[in-house]
Amino acid sequence: QVQLVESGGGLVQPGGSLRLSCAASGSIFSINAGAWYRQAPGKQRELVASIRGGGSTHYTDSAKGRFTISRDNAKNTVYLQMNSLKPEDTAVYYCNADVTDQATLTQRDYWGKGTLVIVSS
C-alpha cells in the first residue's frame, strides 16, 4: 500500500509564493508519474501540472509561467512551486501519482487528501 501526503498549503497574499510537497511512502518500487490537481469551491477538480518518469512536464494554461512541478526520486516526493499567486488559484490542491508497487510490481493510481491554498489579501 502507498500513501501520499501533501503539505505546504496555507494563506498567502496575491503575488506571493508557496511550495507544495507530496511525499509518497509505503511499498514503492517507482513513481512513474506525478501530478497536481486542484478543486476550487463549486468547481470540478482540474489538472494543474504533471511530470513523467523521464522528467517531461506539462502545464495547463493557468499554470504556465507561474508554477513549476518537479520531483526528487530519492525522496519519493513531488513538488509544486507556485509563484505570482492570484485569488483564482484558491483551491484544495491534490497530489496524484502513478506508482509501481515494490512487492507486486503492479501499477496503480494514488491520491492524497489535499492541502488548502487560499490566496487573499
Side-chain angles (χ1 to χ4, degrees):
Q1 199 55 296
V2 173
Q3 298 79 39
L4 302 181
V5 178
E6 301 99 332
S7 61
L11 174 64
V12 62
Q13 292 187 342
S17 298
L18 282 175
R19 188 193 194 204
L20 305 184
S21 299
C22 171
S25 62
S27 180
I28 300 170
F29 177 76
S30 64
I31 298 178
N32 308 307
W36 287 94
Y37 288 72
R38 68 185 182 187
Q39 186 166 17
K43 295 188 177 182
Q44 289 189 333
R45 190 174 299 188
E46 62 175 4
L47 176 67
V48 176
S50 62
I51 185 165
R52 304 297 299 177
S56 62
T57 57
H58 168 76
Y59 299 93
T60 56
D61 288 344
S62 62
K64 283 179 184 176
R66 299 189 301 127
F67 295 0
T68 303
I69 189 170
S70 61
R71 59 191 290 171
D72 185 330
N73 291 331
K75 295 182 178 180
N76 287 329
T77 301
V78 179
Y79 303 97
L80 185 68
Q81 177 67 44
M82 304 188 295
N83 300 327
S84 302
L85 282 162
K86 306 174 182 179
E88 50 264 43
D89 294 317
T90 295
V92 178
Y93 284 71
Y94 296 91
C95 176
N96 170 263
D98 180 87
V99 179
T100 297
D101 187 285
Q102 189 172 38
T104 64
L105 296 182
T106 55
Q107 279 184 256
R108 184 186 154 180
D109 212 44
Y110 291 90
W111 289 89
K113 294 184 178 180
T115 185
L116 178 61
V117 172
I118 299 174
V119 184
S120 175
S121 55

